[in-house]
Amino acid sequence: MSEVAHADVVILGGGIAGAGAAYEIAKTRSVILLERESVCGYHATGRSAASFTENYGTGLVRRLALGSRPFLASPPAGFCEHPLLSPRGMLTIARADQMERLDAELARARLLVPSIVPVSIDDALARVPVLRRDYLAGAILEPHSMDIDVDALQNGFLRGARAAGARIVTRAQVRGIACRNGEWQVETPAGLFAAPVMVDAAGAWADEVAQMAGIAPLGLQPLRRTAFNIPAPVGHSIAHWPLVNDVGEEFYVKVAGGQLMVSPADATPSKPMDAWADDMDVAIGAERLERATHLTVTRVSHSWAGLRTFAADRSPVVGFDPRAEGFFWLAGQGGYGIKTSSSLSRIAAALIGGQDLPDDLQRLGISASDLSPARFAPAPQVSSPSTTRGAA
Ligand SMILES: Cc1cc2nc3c(=O)[nH]c(=O)nc-3n(C[C@H](O)[C@H](O)[C@H](O)COP(=O)(O)OP(=O)(O)OC[C@H]3O[C@@H](n4cnc5c(N)ncnc54)[C@H](O)[C@@H]3O)c2cc1C
């Protein structure tokens, strides 16, 4: 019989969610993180637009982003070699038929971020000269939106977790989960692992992992989003262009690695999988970009897709499952998992440690109940020994 490696907490999934949780939890507890792939961050985390905005997502998501900014702007000494954030700005544009929506977005955005302001068409064109004047009816600017160095953030989390004693095990696809002697026992090709607390940070696979543990899924829905790079337009200095985002989420374009990254902002329901870019979605993105700008897409240098996984109310799910002792959800980060990673990791560590949420997050109006899986999976009325673990 193979030996079982024990820890206080076993984390399933080595994307930004699992890595951030390992970093925070390992400060006070022994941690084992299990990742199926040969490297951490291969799925959604490695395919993002790397954008930090406080002006996108549900109200709760926006507050989680606000709560993450201090860490991202000023990580602890030794966390990374270069700043995690660099200035970008975000210009949200609207056609005449979208102006009502732009006004509503501006009013909503300014509730939390008063620095977001309307800008004139001339100002928008000065910032991004390839925009078509006859396309634009209005624009708003989020001046303090940033680019995130996702690799540095992910590696900083993993390095910090290891330094605190966490074990990161790759090529460890979880194939079976059982509840034995008050512990979750997890079977992988890399061995058997067990802990009284198991964190489900499996991204698009989070519901599948729960089902492996005998827990009914929460109805998380992976949605595919496509992106592609095109060469920088000749004769333009693009380095300081803000991210340009259509207010109706029809497309966005941003500077990335000296090129332009374009997305049709698609959201196609998918099963959990290694997603790839569909040619039709790339063509739609190119067409929308060409409609709004003077750019012509003649060459796509790279295209990809990733899964953004949402709960029904489009806010993350973080907390112990009321139906199964020791099963902790850290899922449903949707299109916001990078920018909210510091807040969500700290919340996970606090709840697993039986503590209140960090003061700074409470002051932002974030509460554990808003994030709890209990909003989708109410606690059973009567619990009995047979229903306290792994019961659906
Ligand atoms: C095109 C695109 C643009 C985006 N842009 C942004 C952005 O600008 N800003 C932002 O904040 N967010 C953005 N996002 C969202 C962000 O990428 C995600 O919210 C975040 O990466 C989710 O992290 P995760 O760790 O939950 O998931 P993942 O990174 O997918 O990690 C889950 C991990 O679990 C592992 N796993 C699954 N099943 C098992 C198993 N059985 N055993 C072991 N391991 C398993 C997987 O291999 C995977 O590595 C974007 C996403 C996409 C696709």
Side-chain angles (χ1 to χ4, degrees):
M1 194 174 168
S2 39
E3 227 173 83
V4 182
H6 294 267
D8 296 328
V9 179
V10 62
I11 298 173
L12 313 188
I16 201 75
Y23 175 78
E24 291 294 343
I25 298 168
K27 291 175 180 172
T28 53
R29 287 173 165 67
S30 59
V31 170
I32 297 172
L33 181 152
L34 303 174
E35 167 54 47
R36 171 185 50 202
E37 308 293 347
S38 58
V39 290
C40 289
Y42 170 77
H43 288 285
T45 298
R47 307 175 191 205
S48 87
S51 168
F52 179 88
T53 161
E54 292 154 343
N55 177 28
Y56 183 47
T58 64
L60 177 56
V61 164
R62 292 168 190 228
R63 293 196 298 275
L64 290 164
L66 282 164
S68 292
R69 186 190 271 272
F71 180 93
L72 296 174
S74 185
F79 185 85
C80 48
E81 286 169 13
H82 308 289
L84 293 172
L85 296 183
S86 47
R88 173 60 53 207
M90 186 164 95
L91 189 69
T92 301
I93 60 169
R95 300 181 302 264
D97 61 299
Q98 296 172 309
M99 280 307 287
E100 220 172 284
R101 184 150 186 186
L102 189 72
D103 291 341
E105 276 302 323
L106 177 62
R108 183 176 183 208
R110 284 176 59 88
L111 290 175
L112 282 173
V113 189
S115 57
I116 296 177
V117 287
V119 292
S120 67
I121 304 299
D122 284 343
D123 188 334
L125 291 172
R127 290 172 194 276
V128 186
V130 294
L131 285 169
R132 285 181 187 274
R133 184 178 286 277
D134 58 0
Y135 182 91
L136 287 186
I140 61 179
L141 181 72
E142 181 185 358
H144 304 304
S145 166
M146 310 291 267
D147 282 348
I148 310 174
D149 186 334
V150 180
D151 275 356
L153 177 60
Q154 165 94 354
N155 288 330
F157 279 147
L158 292 173
R159 206 171 28 243
R162 278 197 196 94
R167 243 184 102 185
I168 314 292
V169 188
T170 53
R171 296 191 171 90
Q173 175 168 10
V174 176
R175 290 187 175 151
I177 301 173
C179 186
R180 293 209 180 97
N181 307 323
E183 285 191 315
W184 292 102
Q185 194 170 101
V186 181
E187 186 198 324
T188 79
L192 288 174
F193 303 88
V197 173
M198 182 167 69
V199 177
D200 180 356
W205 293 266
D207 264 348
E208 280 190 9
V209 161
Q211 283 174 296
M212 253 190 259
I215 297 168
L218 298 182
L220 299 171
Q221 177 62 63
L223 300 176
R224 189 181 71 229
R225 175 151 291 185
T226 308
F228 56 96
N229 285 344
I230 58 172
V234 177
H236 288 279
S237 167
I238 64 170
H240 301 297
W241 285 7
L243 185 156
V244 176
N245 177 40
D246 170 84
V247 71
E249 260 206 85
E250 293 180 12
F251 78 98
Y252 63 83
V253 54
K254 72 166 288 202
V255 177
Q259 300 195 313
L260 291 178
M261 172 193 162
V262 186
S263 173
D266 46 329
T268 309
S270 168
K271 59 184 195 310
M273 64 186 293
D274 188 355
W276 69 88
D278 184 293
D279 286 349
M280 184 55 80
D281 290 322
V282 172
I284 290 170
E287 192 270 328
R288 291 177 181 172
L289 178 76
E290 289 178 349
R291 203 149 45 100
T293 68
H294 294 289
L295 297 171
T296 306
V297 178
T298 52
R299 188 163 71 83
V300 169
S301 51
H302 174 50
S303 64
W304 69 96
L307 299 179
R308 304 152 82 240
T309 299
F310 290 88
D313 61 6
R314 296 181 79 86
S315 284
V317 186
V318 186
F320 281 109
D321 193 301
R323 305 162 298 176
E325 197 182 323
F327 188 97
F328 192 93
W329 290 88
L330 182 54
Q333 291 87 344
Y336 330 110
I338 314 291
K339 68 176 186 173
T340 58
S341 57
S342 167
S343 294
L344 294 180
S345 308
R346 291 188 295 132
I347 288 169
L351 294 177
I352 287 170
Q355 292 158 357
D356 291 336
L357 299 199
D359 286 346
D360 61 310
L361 300 181
Q362 289 192 46
R363 281 196 298 275
L364 284 167
I366 298 168
S367 75
S369 59
D370 293 340
L371 290 158
S372 169
R375 65 196 204 269
F376 305 113
Q381 293 291 307
V382 182
S383 71
S384 67
S386 63
T387 58
T388 52
R389 273 289 163 94

